[in-house]
Amino acid sequence: MPKVTICIPTYNRSQYLAYAVNSVWQQTYSDFELIICDDASVDDTPELVKQWRDDRLKYIRQPLNIGRSRNMRTGFTAAKGEYFLKFDDDDGITPDFLAKTVARLDNHPEVDFVCTNHWIIASDSQRMKDATQLNIAKWGKDKLSEGIIPDLIEQTFDYQSLQMGSTLFRLTSLQEVDYLRSQADGCEDFDLLVRLAIAGKTGYFLPELLMEYRFHQQQTSLKQDIHFLSAKAFCLNDYRFSTPELEKRRLVKLAQTQQALGLRLIEQGEVKQGRQLLNFSRDILGNSAKLYGGWLLSYLPNEITKFTLSFLRQLRPQNYTEQVRTASMS
């Protein structure tokens, strides 16, 4: 039986998949199996996979598209390793990733997972130093030292400083929390890591840059934003914390997510549902200019609403994602 299972879910990303898979073959640690889960790609992914002739490779191709999270779960269900790693088909791991993370789990039996730092790479696979440092600072990883993470709920729920793709897990720990939930599709990292923290699991931080996360230049679409915000709202509505202070922070995060989702739904023309979410958020956050603005826009023709919200987004300061895009292009 292999010590480690590596899972790479993929869908129509043959132009990047070779980079991800080759980063696995280049590992200095060799006791692993690689499972590629293909969600019924219609590009040349099957032909690409045929070129890798290695007994450690297993290719699972879905007959029909079943969605991101369900596709990921097929690789998890088929895993035979003691340890488990999942990273995306456009990312990569550095040659020492397994050697260094496996050593930490082997030497610390009380630890459930080891999370590392990661590079930001551009669409051409070049490492972006400025974008990487911006990412580390944004998520507070510059304040974490190597070792057991002292307050896992704070790091996963408040700071969101950990990432699934740069983390090696004990398979049994993931099985105990049911790994990925389809309702959290698009928000899997946040959901899994928070649920591990709530379950009392132990995380270890390794500050070395051992993974590569590809940052794409394209903007997200309205549909993608709604999908992500809906998944995050589901997660925040489902969690329950043991202290009143944590519960208060959960409700505030939920209300902020509902407000953002409500505005995006109004922009899409789903006015009734959008107003309902704004009402929910007002009960926690109170009245605000953003809330009143959303209500006003919900009564205007949809084309005016779309134009106004798009114009307002252009006026605001760059958010974190836009800053990283700028840094990755410099």
Side-chain angles (χ1 to χ4, degrees):
M1 303 289 276
K3 183 79 169 184
V4 180
T5 295
I6 302 171
C7 178
I8 302 179
T10 190
Y11 178 64
N12 289 345
R13 280 257 183 89
S14 63
Q15 75 274 29
Y16 293 126
L17 182 60
Y19 186 89
V21 172
N22 286 331
S23 78
V24 175
W25 299 143
Q26 292 166 8
Q27 290 299 295
T28 58
Y29 182 94
S30 60
D31 189 7
F32 64 81
E33 64 174 349
L34 171 61
I35 301 176
I36 298 175
C37 306
D38 182 359
D39 198 13
S41 295
V42 295
D43 62 3
D44 62 342
T45 293
E47 289 71 29
L48 177 66
V49 173
K50 288 178 182 178
Q51 77 177 22
W52 293 306
R53 301 181 182 278
D54 192 303
D55 292 340
R56 295 171 295 179
L57 172 63
K58 181 176 181 179
Y59 180 47
I60 300 175
R61 178 170 170 80
Q62 315 300 342
L64 297 172
N65 187 276
I66 59 175
R68 176 185 170 91
S69 292
R70 289 186 176 89
N71 184 45
M72 288 182 193
R73 282 194 67 97
T74 62
F76 177 73
T77 302
K80 297 179 180 178
E82 179 182 350
Y83 303 151
F84 183 82
L85 167 69
K86 188 284 300 180
F87 68 94
D88 290 340
D89 54 0
D90 56 343
D91 298 333
I93 50 177
T94 65
D96 289 335
F97 179 93
L98 287 182
K100 292 185 175 182
T101 55
V102 166
R104 267 63 178 189
L105 287 181
D106 282 349
N107 294 330
H108 296 274
E110 77 280 13
V111 169
D112 296 286
F113 61 87
V114 176
C115 181
T116 76
N117 248 325
H118 62 268
W119 289 98
I120 298 293
I121 60 174
S123 56
D124 62 358
S125 303
Q126 293 299 308
R127 292 176 176 176
M128 302 286 103
K129 183 177 180 180
D130 290 345
T132 298
Q133 293 305 314
L134 179 63
N135 179 78
I136 290 171
K138 162 66 180 179
W139 303 114
K141 292 184 179 181
D142 54 339
K143 298 178 177 63
L144 284 175
S145 301
E146 178 169 354
I148 292 176
I149 300 168
D151 189 338
L152 195 56
I153 286 181
E154 182 179 52
Q155 295 301 326
T156 58
F157 182 73
D158 290 327
Y159 300 149
Q160 300 179 46
S161 53
L162 310 182
Q163 184 193 41
M164 191 196 310
S166 61
T167 302
L168 185 68
F169 299 89
R170 292 190 192 276
L171 187 70
T172 53
S173 298
L174 297 179
Q175 290 169 335
E176 289 168 9
V177 299
D178 196 28
Y179 190 45
L180 300 182
R181 303 191 292 181
S182 61
Q183 304 97 319
D185 183 71
C187 198
E188 300 95 349
D189 285 36
F190 175 73
D191 182 50
L192 174 62
L193 290 161
V194 169
R195 288 190 295 113
L196 284 166
I198 292 173
K201 300 302 182 183
T202 300
Y204 185 105
F205 183 66
L206 180 58
E208 296 184 48
L209 297 163
L210 297 179
M211 184 257 186
E212 296 176 324
Y213 173 78
R214 192 180 303 274
F215 209 95
H216 297 280
Q217 304 297 335
Q218 72 266 23
Q219 301 287 334
T220 59
S221 66
L222 177 60
K223 182 179 179 181
Q224 288 172 319
D225 281 350
I226 290 174
H227 183 78
F228 169 76
L229 290 168
S230 298
K232 190 166 186 179
F234 162 80
C235 297
L236 291 168
N237 192 54
D238 184 68
Y239 303 147
R240 292 296 181 273
F241 293 110
S242 59
T243 67
E245 178 58 31
L246 278 171
E247 273 296 286
K248 181 179 178 181
R249 278 150 44 195
R250 178 185 71 83
L251 291 173
V252 169
K253 279 182 178 285
L254 174 59
Q256 291 170 338
T257 302
Q258 288 174 326
Q259 184 179 81
L261 177 57
L263 291 171
R264 298 303 264 163
L265 288 171
I266 288 170
E267 183 175 355
Q268 185 171 263
E270 298 181 40
V271 173
K272 183 177 180 180
Q273 187 179 356
R275 287 180 190 154
Q276 186 179 42
L277 288 173
L278 292 183
N279 282 337
F280 291 153
S281 70
R282 181 181 58 189
D283 291 341
I284 301 296
L285 303 176
N287 292 316
S288 66
K290 181 181 285 188
L291 181 72
Y292 281 128
W295 265 98
L296 176 61
L297 289 171
S298 74
Y299 288 97
L300 298 177
N302 188 241
E303 289 305 314
I304 296 177
T305 300
K306 284 186 175 181
F307 173 81
T308 303
L309 288 172
S310 177
F311 177 73
L312 291 174
R313 278 195 291 272
Q314 293 175 21
L315 294 179
R316 61 168 171 68
Q318 281 189 330
N319 62 24
Y320 159 71
T321 301
E322 292 161 341
Q323 290 174 35
V324 173
R325 283 198 183 96
T326 299
S328 67
M329 294 172 65
S330 62

